[in-house]
Amino acid sequence: DAVMRESFVMPGMINAHAHVDPAEGGISAQEQLEQYAHYGVTTVLSLGENNQDALGLREQSWTPQSDMARVLAAGRIYTPMTPDGESW
């Protein structure tokens, strides 16, 4: 009981604007989610990925045995094109 009087509980943080999309040569989507969890982020809203790794981790991240942040992944990023065929 004495230990609990000197402690506090903080709820998990939520990153509401992320892109769980590994950069070329960077860490994988799973490693990113594990790193988020290590720092106390329990849920990540990934707003778009060019790589589909985050989509594959959605189900796995919500299991009780998971050691990574839960991910809500929006899916592929779509970029509009100009009339000249250039991306914005």
Side-chain angles (χ1 to χ4, degrees):
D1 287 333
V3 172
M4 291 305 292
R5 286 190 205 125
E6 298 174 8
S7 302
F8 61 92
V9 176
M10 180 180 156
M13 295 179 281
I14 297 171
N15 182 342
H17 186 147
H19 298 275
V20 182
D21 195 5
E24 195 170 317
I27 63 174
S28 71
Q30 181 167 346
E31 290 170 319
Q32 289 178 45
L33 294 171
E34 289 169 354
Q35 192 171 48
Y36 274 122
H38 177 78
Y39 289 111
V41 176
T42 58
T43 306
V44 174
L45 175 57
S46 186
L47 299 175
E49 301 79 32
N50 289 319
N51 183 304
Q52 300 299 301
D53 292 350
L55 297 175
L57 294 170
R58 286 189 295 194
E59 296 296 323
Q60 180 184 346
S61 71
W62 284 80
T63 62
Q65 300 83 9
S66 178
D67 60 351
M68 65 181 102
R70 295 173 296 192
V71 63
L72 301 166
R76 184 158 175 75
I77 295 174
Y78 290 97
T79 304
M81 304 299 274
T82 67
D84 298 331
E86 301 289 327
S87 62
W88 288 93

